[in-house]
Amino acid sequence: MEHLYAPWRSEYLEEKSEFCPFCVCAKKLKSDEELGVLFRARHCFGVMNCYPYTPGHFMIIPYKHEEHIENLSEEEWGEMSLFVRKGVKILKEHLKASGVNIGMNLSVAAGAGIASHCHYHLVPRWRGDTNFITSIGQTRVCGADLEKMYQKLFKAFNARGA
């Protein structure tokens, strides 16, 4: 198997209690486009994944820095769930996704890259978009311009009546 080294990602992999990229996004209110923030609600926000599984892969994150979903308030959990449903609708309508993978990796043992701050992943999928390169080339192909994808999703989340 070939390995693609990305040492700039090491800061996300090292356990540092003082650094949380999600908290940085939550606090930098004037840097939404730079950070890929799609929407801001009362208890949560949406942000594009910097290392997407597929184009349009984004996350829904509570403002509260919390590892355990059982410690979120009903309001926080409810709002996140509402935006998961809204996000699925947007991915299907605006990106023409054939399906959507939704998931949470809760804690390091479950594979969470940023375990200390729980978050949902929404990964759009398309029929026919899987191919041999991932299996035999150990490489993932991103077949879309991520900036254009961000702009499309941002507009959809922030459109009146959406």
Side-chain angles (χ1 to χ4, degrees):
M1 176 186 326
E2 295 288 325
H3 294 281
L4 176 63
Y5 292 98
W8 58 88
R9 293 189 68 194
S10 65
E11 66 185 77
Y12 296 107
L13 306 175
E14 297 169 6
E15 192 63 39
K16 295 179 185 177
S17 59
E18 72 276 358
F19 178 76
C20 173
F22 298 152
C23 288
V24 170
C25 284
K27 293 174 185 166
K28 285 189 162 185
L29 300 176
K30 296 186 181 194
S31 302
D32 281 358
E33 187 170 356
E34 175 190 336
L35 296 170
V37 173
L38 295 168
F39 69 86
R40 290 185 181 274
R42 185 169 181 215
H43 299 290
C44 67
F45 64 100
V47 66
M48 297 296 289
N49 191 318
C50 293
Y51 308 101
Y53 187 77
T54 63
H57 175 178
F58 70 94
M59 297 167 289
I60 297 175
I61 306 161
Y63 287 112
K64 180 183 193 177
H65 183 88
E66 178 57 59
E67 180 175 354
H68 306 285
I69 61 171
E70 60 271 25
N71 293 339
L72 295 174
S73 71
E74 291 299 320
E75 293 81 18
E76 291 163 326
W77 182 249
E79 187 176 76
M80 288 178 69
S81 298
L82 176 72
F83 275 94
V84 166
R85 191 167 67 187
K86 184 175 187 172
V88 167
K89 183 177 182 183
I90 286 171
L91 290 172
K92 287 179 178 179
E93 289 179 0
H94 294 269
L95 299 189
K96 307 301 181 213
S98 305
V100 180
N101 292 123
I102 301 168
M104 295 180 109
N105 298 325
L106 300 174
S107 98
V108 174
I114 302 170
S116 64
H117 199 142
C118 65
H119 54 284
Y120 268 111
H121 287 268
L122 281 83
V123 181
R125 303 302 298 265
W126 295 268
R127 273 187 228 113
D129 193 38
T130 57
N131 60 48
F132 67 93
I133 192 88
T134 303
S135 300
I136 66 169
Q138 303 300 315
T139 302
R140 187 165 293 135
V141 176
C142 183
D145 182 315
L146 297 180
E147 177 60 30
K148 288 179 183 174
M149 193 69 62
Y150 166 76
Q151 291 298 330
K152 188 179 276 191
L153 290 174
F154 178 84
K155 287 176 186 170
F157 270 107
N158 294 285
R160 297 195 187 275

